[in-house]
Amino acid sequence: MSTDDTTAAGGRRGPYRSGQARRREIIDAATEIFAVDGYRGGSLRDVARSLGMSPGLITHHFGSKEQLLVAVLEEKDLSSKLDVERDPAPGHLAAALVEVVEMNEKRPGLLRLFTTLAAEAVNPEHPAHEFFTRRYERLIRYLAGRLEAETARGTRSESIPAAEFASMVLAAMDGLQTQWLLSQNFPMAARFATMLRAMGLDPGSD
C-alpha cells in the first residue's frame, strides 16, 4: 500500500473512505425506497435515480439487489439497537421494553421498513426470509432469558412460560407498530404498557 492510501497515523483515507461513505449513502437511500415500495416494488434503478448515479455503481458496491437488501437489514436492524438489549437492571425489563416502543415512535422510517419487509418475507423464497426468521429466534431467546430472571426474582408470574411470553410480547409490538404506522395519533407505547400489565409484568412497579 502506498503512502497515498494511509494517513500519517496509519488510518485509511482517500478511495477507501470515499467508498465507505458511498456505501452508507446507498444503504440510506435503499432504506427509504424499500420502506415505501417494499423489496419487490423498489428497484436498483429507483435507488440509483434518487442518488443521481447509475445502477451499475450500486452493483459495483453490493453485487446485487439481494445483497443490497441484506446490507440494509443488517445496518438498520432495530433489534441490534433496542435499548432492552443493554441488559436492563433486574426488575426493570418491563420499563425498558416500554422505552423501546417509545424510541421506535421517533423512527417511523425504520418501523415502516421492517413492517413492510417482514410481511413480504413470510414467503420462503424472499431474500429476507432467513434474516427475519433468525431475528425472531434471537429476540425470543433473549427475552425469554430475561423473563426467566424476572420470574426467579419474583417480579413475574410463572403462569405463562417465558418463551411463550416472549413471543406474545413481540407479537404485541409488531401489531401495535402496524396500527401506529397507519395512524400516528395511536397511543402505541401506552397500549403496550397496558398489555404488559395485563400479562403480569408492570412497567410502573419496576
Side-chain angles (χ1 to χ4, degrees):
M1 181 180 292
S2 71
T3 54
D4 290 339
D5 293 324
T6 59
T7 65
R12 294 177 183 266
R13 69 177 187 186
Y16 175 83
R17 293 182 62 185
S18 297
Q20 290 296 94
R22 180 55 58 87
R23 282 178 60 89
R24 179 62 61 100
E25 184 181 27
I26 292 170
I27 285 173
D28 288 344
T31 297
E32 296 300 318
I33 297 295
F34 293 152
V36 174
D37 299 328
Y39 174 75
R40 302 299 183 194
S43 68
L44 290 185
R45 189 174 300 278
D46 293 330
V47 177
R49 186 183 301 116
S50 72
L51 294 170
M53 65 176 62
S54 70
L57 185 56
I58 296 178
T59 56
H60 168 75
H61 284 283
F62 293 95
S64 67
K65 182 182 175 184
E66 290 81 3
Q67 290 178 40
L68 174 59
L69 175 65
V70 171
V72 166
L73 291 172
E74 290 177 346
E75 173 71 20
K76 303 296 183 181
D77 187 2
L78 292 176
S79 72
S80 69
K81 301 175 177 66
L82 294 182
D83 278 9
V84 70
E85 292 200 294
R86 296 178 188 173
D87 284 332
H92 288 260
L93 177 62
L97 288 167
V98 173
E99 184 179 351
V100 167
V101 175
E102 291 172 343
M103 291 185 65
N104 285 346
E105 291 178 338
K106 300 175 183 177
R107 43 196 180 195
L110 287 183
L111 286 187
R112 189 176 299 109
L113 172 74
F114 274 79
T115 300
T116 300
L117 293 179
E120 291 184 348
V122 296
N123 180 353
E125 302 301 317
H126 194 281
H129 180 81
E130 183 179 355
F131 173 88
F132 278 101
T133 299
R134 287 186 287 104
R135 181 175 184 265
Y136 276 108
E137 290 173 350
R138 184 176 71 251
L139 284 173
I140 289 172
R141 187 166 54 248
Y142 168 78
L143 285 175
R146 298 298 305 169
L147 288 164
E148 288 171 353
E150 298 293 322
T151 301
R153 293 185 73 255
T155 54
R156 187 187 80 89
S157 168
E158 295 186 69
S159 58
I160 304 176
E164 293 182 21
F165 196 113
S167 294
M168 294 165 69
V169 167
L170 293 178
M173 278 186 166
D174 289 349
L176 292 171
Q177 285 171 178
T178 298
Q179 293 180 69
W180 183 79
L181 287 169
L182 291 169
S183 174
Q184 293 185 12
N185 291 324
F186 179 77
M188 176 167 64
R191 295 289 170 83
F192 182 66
T194 297
M195 185 279 300
L196 289 178
R197 292 188 184 96
M199 296 175 66
L201 195 65
D202 190 350
S205 65
D206 289 344

